[in-house]
Amino acid sequence: MFIQNYINGAFVAPIEGNTIDNYNPSNGEVYGQIPNSSKEDVAKAYEAAASAFPSWSNTTLEERSKILSRIAQLISEKLPELAAAEAKDNGKPLQLAKAIDIPRASANFQFFASAITQFASEAHESVGMNAMNFTLRQSIGVVGCISPWNFPLAIFTGQIIAALSVGNAVLAKPADLTPIIAIKAVELMFEAGVPRSSLQLLIGNGPVVGDALITNKSIDGICFTGSTTVSQLINKNSADKGNPKASIIAETGGINAMIVDSTALPEQAVKDIIASSFQSAGQRCSALR
């Protein structure tokens, strides 16, 4: 299996032709090749996104809401297929993929669809202008989205839809460990009606692709989910080498505690402690420390 980037309306190989082995972490099986994208690939994707920005931002809020609802429906319909892809990508048990990550992704799209519908209604009532023009005031341009491997559908799509919902074009960089679920998610979004030119997919090494995104002097916004250390580096590099006026939204690591009092059932507490501590190898913002 050879996975490609999606740039300017088509799946394409990386410009320099370099690839990385893609493997199943649960058994070490190498089952494909993924792009080892370069700064040149990022620059090409940015140009495509910048030129395509009006195509999505010119759609009405009502049209966007319908598209997002359709994506939510498609995710629910394809739950078994998506769970299998996620299990192969990052070794997550099928039960967890089906119970948490995939339903959450579907719920995210439905939430934004409902929010957009309400927003459109309020725009008509309070501003007295058509919803499309009102929304154009909210979009900022091209947004780079950098997501982690632990919730490779919910967080990946959550960042994208938050940016797309207000009319931005998106450069999406999934974790290099979870490219297959990202490809499937992008295909579902296109199937539902998201303009193909408004979403670019870049796969590759985090420090290379991510750094090229955040140091792009024309990027208008950055969404990141990951460690606090990396988020601080993104903030610094964006200000020093990229666009110091770019909006940065970062969701970083947390440390959770559990308080168990005398009314708790010890066997239930132990079960929950183990689950919270070791699911995703303890590498998630909700993990118990």
Side-chain angles (χ1 to χ4, degrees):
M1 178 185 296
F2 180 62
I3 298 170
Q4 296 180 309
N5 292 324
Y6 192 89
I7 299 175
N8 202 21
F11 285 104
V12 295
I15 291 173
E16 296 181 357
N18 297 325
T19 61
I20 308 170
D21 285 341
N22 192 37
Y23 67 95
N24 183 337
S26 67
N27 58 18
E29 172 198 5
V30 175
Y31 61 91
Q33 300 287 314
I34 63 174
N36 188 11
S37 299
S38 64
K39 293 188 292 185
E40 288 71 25
D41 293 297
V42 177
K44 181 179 178 182
Y46 174 82
E47 290 175 6
S51 63
F53 171 54
S55 66
W56 176 247
S57 62
N58 285 337
T59 59
T60 66
L61 291 176
E62 289 82 359
E63 289 173 310
R64 287 182 212 170
S65 181
K66 290 179 181 179
I67 290 172
L68 301 190
S69 291
R70 177 59 178 152
I71 298 170
Q73 180 183 349
L74 287 172
I75 290 174
S76 295
E77 291 174 356
K78 297 181 180 294
L79 187 146
E81 176 186 336
L82 293 172
E86 187 164 315
K88 199 169 187 178
D89 252 356
N90 74 355
K92 181 174 291 190
L94 286 170
Q95 180 182 1
L96 289 180
K98 291 179 179 180
I100 301 176
D101 191 43
I102 297 170
R104 183 180 297 175
S106 179
N108 284 343
F109 280 99
Q110 195 56 59
F111 168 81
F112 276 98
S114 300
I116 288 172
T117 297
Q118 181 179 353
F119 191 62
S121 176
E122 292 175 355
H124 282 297
E125 293 175 3
S126 63
V127 183
M129 60 176 67
N130 70 61
M132 182 185 73
N133 288 337
F134 187 82
T135 306
L136 285 174
R137 295 187 177 191
Q138 313 305 311
S139 55
I140 60 175
V142 179
V143 176
C145 295
I146 304 171
S147 57
W149 59 267
N150 53 5
F151 291 98
L153 187 65
I155 297 179
F156 174 71
T157 57
Q159 290 180 344
I160 292 171
I161 201 54
L164 279 179
S165 64
V166 292
N168 297 300
V170 173
L171 300 178
K173 194 278 174 199
D176 52 334
L177 298 175
T178 53
I180 290 187
I181 192 70
I183 286 281
K184 289 185 176 296
V186 167
E187 289 175 337
L188 287 183
M189 285 187 264
F190 292 150
E191 181 182 341
V194 171
R196 292 177 175 268
S197 55
S198 297
L199 175 58
Q200 318 292 322
L201 178 67
L202 289 159
I203 298 171
N205 184 272
V208 175
V209 177
D211 188 66
L213 274 175
I214 64 176
T215 57
N216 185 308
K217 294 185 181 299
S218 299
I219 201 81
D220 300 294
I222 299 164
C223 291
F224 170 77
T225 300
S227 72
T228 302
T229 300
V230 174
S231 72
Q232 291 170 337
L233 183 63
I234 287 173
N235 191 35
K236 182 179 185 300
N237 287 348
S238 176
D240 292 346
K241 304 175 185 178
N243 177 9
K245 295 182 180 180
S247 299
I248 299 178
I249 300 173
E251 177 197 9
T252 63
I255 298 177
N256 292 331
M258 180 184 289
I259 298 174
V260 182
D261 67 17
S262 60
T263 66
L265 293 172
E267 60 271 28
Q268 184 63 55
V270 169
K271 180 181 177 181
D272 289 344
I273 288 167
I274 292 172
S276 182
S277 300
F278 295 103
Q279 288 177 0
S280 300
Q283 297 183 55
R284 59 169 66 168
C285 55
S286 57
L288 184 65
R289 298 294 189 270

